[in-house]
Amino acid sequence: MELRTIKDAFDRVTKKQKVASSKSQEVIEQIGHEIEQALLKIQSINDTASLSEHKVILSELKAKLKEVAPLSQLEGTQKELNVALSKYPKLLEKSLNPDISKAYRNVGSDIHTVNQIIASHFYREGHFDLGDCFVNEARESEAADQKSPFLQMYQILEAMRSRNLDPAVSWATTNSEKLKLSGSDIEMKLHRQQFVEILQNKGRDEALGYARTNFPPFATKYLAEIQRLMACLLWAGKLDSSPYSDLLSPCHWDKLAEELARQFCNLMGQSYESPLSATIAAGVQGLPTLLKLMNVMTGKKQEWQSMKQLPVPIDLDREFQFHSIFVCPVSRDQATEENPPMLMSCGHVLCKQSITKLSKNNNTRPFKCPYCPTEVEVGQCKQLFF
């Protein structure tokens, strides 16, 4: 959704508001100064002073306040502020459609699955009390099974924030084989960070003992890195001024925590990003297009509800593109299970329905490829799987 226009209008309002506030403060200070001066004059004269002298001082004050003309000074800035304030709500109403329900399609959904996703989101984000409350109220006791692994993950991450790698190393050791199968090197990274911490805080002998105990299984694959760590032993107590000072960078902890969370979710069969967050973010991007489409299709609500495929593409950022799609260059339809992409003998790809139309539903009758001179038969076409 394009919010630049709204932001510019908001910036104009805040600027006018600051100017009006500053001008108001300036006028108030002027009035206060004149009143203080008048009070000082009244206090400085004798108690026996006549009433006429007081009247003179008050008359002078009245004249000076009239000269200050507070209303005239404030009128211009307040008028500009009011104009900007009156335009801003109209722009919001025009730009932000208050009724997004018309873009809703009555697509069947499994409430049980939706509840599982919501509960998983709360546990994934570390909101365990909120997740428990939702599970109880939604009566989704099965969803509570996801709490334990995420709780363990957060306990490990909390320990890492305190520079305690023992829980993380223990988890990685327990899941060593699974991590290797997934191609992860986080176990070695955890041992490396633990080695550096021991070298910094406990000295050379402790670090060497840790290396002898934990590095041998990684020697074949990570020999160069282990050799570099062994060289750090020569700089014990002064590693920050050594050629290996990069190992002390705080960013290693942040990257290690993020990677551990990714691998933890991976072993659970879960994505690192919350599916609920990704769905809502993608929906926010696609909503303006859907609202415009509904405005065009006003009066065709039934057709909108029964439509299997949207008539216009919804452009989403790369972060929301999780699998490959194919759009037939002839029919412009997106491939589906009923209408899969087919590879022709010439190497070009069309959807099955387009090939059926080109061959006039005759499996033995050759037809010309629409993109090259090759004659193709339906029997020679093969279904593609992305």
Side-chain angles (χ1 to χ4, degrees):
M1 186 179 293
E2 181 56 62
L3 297 178
R4 186 173 296 279
T5 304
I6 297 175
K7 184 180 182 301
D8 291 342
F10 178 79
D11 290 342
R12 285 194 294 272
V13 171
T14 53
K15 184 178 179 181
K16 299 291 185 186
Q17 190 176 34
K18 288 178 181 178
V19 171
S21 176
S22 176
K23 190 65 178 176
S24 299
Q25 188 65 31
E26 180 184 338
V27 171
I28 290 171
E29 288 177 357
Q30 284 182 315
I31 294 173
H33 176 72
E34 296 299 339
I35 292 174
E36 286 177 1
Q37 292 298 316
L39 286 173
L40 288 174
K41 287 181 180 179
I42 292 174
Q43 292 171 358
S44 64
I45 61 178
N46 296 329
D47 294 337
T48 57
S50 63
L51 184 62
S52 60
E53 292 183 26
H54 287 174
K55 286 183 176 180
V56 169
I57 294 172
L58 292 175
S59 297
E60 291 176 354
L61 174 62
K62 184 178 179 181
K64 288 182 179 179
L65 291 179
K66 189 175 182 181
E67 185 181 334
V68 172
L71 294 179
S72 300
Q73 289 194 56
L74 296 176
E75 185 178 3
T77 55
Q78 288 296 328
K79 186 176 181 180
E80 291 179 2
L81 175 60
N82 289 336
V83 170
L85 282 172
S86 63
K87 289 181 178 179
Y88 186 61
K90 295 176 182 177
L91 179 62
L92 282 177
E93 192 172 322
K94 180 181 178 182
S95 302
L96 303 177
N97 195 317
D99 182 17
I100 63 174
S101 62
K102 59 185 181 180
Y104 171 74
R105 295 180 65 205
N106 190 19
V107 180
S109 59
D110 183 355
I111 298 299
H112 173 68
T113 302
V114 173
N115 287 340
Q116 292 270 346
I117 292 172
I118 295 173
S120 175
H121 173 79
F122 289 142
Y123 291 140
R124 177 192 298 271
E125 297 298 314
H127 305 307
F128 298 106
D129 291 341
L130 190 56
D132 289 342
C133 180
F134 176 82
V135 166
N136 291 332
E137 293 192 10
R139 297 179 181 176
E140 294 284 354
S141 56
E142 294 180 12
D145 295 340
Q146 302 181 54
K147 176 182 178 179
S148 180
F150 282 119
L151 183 60
Q152 182 189 5
M153 183 182 79
Y154 271 92
Q155 288 171 345
I156 293 173
L157 294 175
E158 187 63 32
M160 290 180 68
R161 292 189 190 97
S162 303
R163 298 296 177 99
N164 178 11
L165 282 171
D166 291 340
V169 171
S170 177
W171 170 82
T173 303
T174 303
N175 296 278
S176 180
E177 292 303 319
K178 294 179 181 178
L179 291 170
K180 287 177 183 176
L181 289 174
S182 66
S184 172
D185 61 350
I186 190 170
E187 187 179 4
M188 178 59 200
K189 288 180 178 178
L190 288 169
H191 282 303
R192 178 189 66 191
Q193 196 66 32
Q194 185 78 303
F195 171 84
V196 173
E197 283 296 298
I198 293 173
L199 181 61
Q200 279 291 95
N201 299 315
K202 297 183 179 180
R204 182 186 292 115
D205 293 340
E206 289 280 346
L208 181 59
Y210 183 86
R212 285 173 174 168
T213 303
N214 296 281
F215 286 169
F218 304 95
T220 304
K221 190 174 181 180
Y222 302 102
L223 181 60
E225 187 168 354
I226 292 173
Q227 288 174 337
R228 189 168 185 259
L229 292 172
M230 292 300 97
C232 293
L233 295 170
L234 301 174
W235 296 85
K238 48 184 178 178
L239 192 59
D240 54 341
S241 59
S242 73
Y244 313 106
S245 58
D246 59 290
L247 294 171
L248 299 176
S249 174
C251 71
H252 289 306
W253 286 93
D254 297 332
K255 290 179 179 178
L256 200 55
E258 181 182 345
E259 187 172 349
L260 184 138
R262 285 185 182 276
Q263 293 303 326
F264 203 104
C265 291
N266 183 44
L267 294 188
M268 289 171 58
Q270 300 271 358
S271 61
Y272 174 64
E273 299 292 342
S274 166
L276 184 62
S277 297
T279 301
I280 292 175
V284 168
Q285 283 195 14
L287 186 59
T289 303
L290 294 175
L291 289 171
K292 289 179 183 177
L293 178 61
M294 275 305 301
N295 289 331
V296 173
M297 297 184 67
T298 302
K300 299 181 180 179
K301 188 173 181 180
Q302 193 62 36
E303 182 180 339
W304 167 253
Q305 293 293 345
S306 60
M307 194 180 294
K308 291 185 177 180
Q309 184 172 313
L310 294 175
V312 295
I314 304 292
D315 293 327
L316 298 177
D317 292 343
R318 290 286 300 174
E319 60 184 298
F320 301 119
Q321 298 175 17
F322 300 103
H323 56 82
S324 301
I325 60 171
F326 175 76
V327 177
C328 179
V330 173
S331 65
R332 304 297 181 187
D333 290 335
Q334 184 173 316
T336 63
E337 290 184 7
E338 296 78 20
N339 185 28
M342 305 292 289
L343 176 66
M344 299 185 293
S345 57
C346 60
H348 290 108
V349 181
L350 303 178
C351 274
K352 185 177 181 179
Q353 291 178 1
S354 297
I355 291 176
T356 301
K357 290 179 181 178
L358 289 171
S359 65
K360 297 183 179 179
N361 207 20
N362 188 333
N363 290 343
T364 59
R365 181 180 178 274
F367 63 92
K368 180 183 172 297
C369 172
Y371 292 96
C372 70
T374 307
E375 293 286 327
V376 182
E377 291 184 9
V378 176
Q380 298 174 327
C381 299
K382 298 179 180 179
Q383 182 175 341
L384 281 182
F385 297 90
F386 293 106

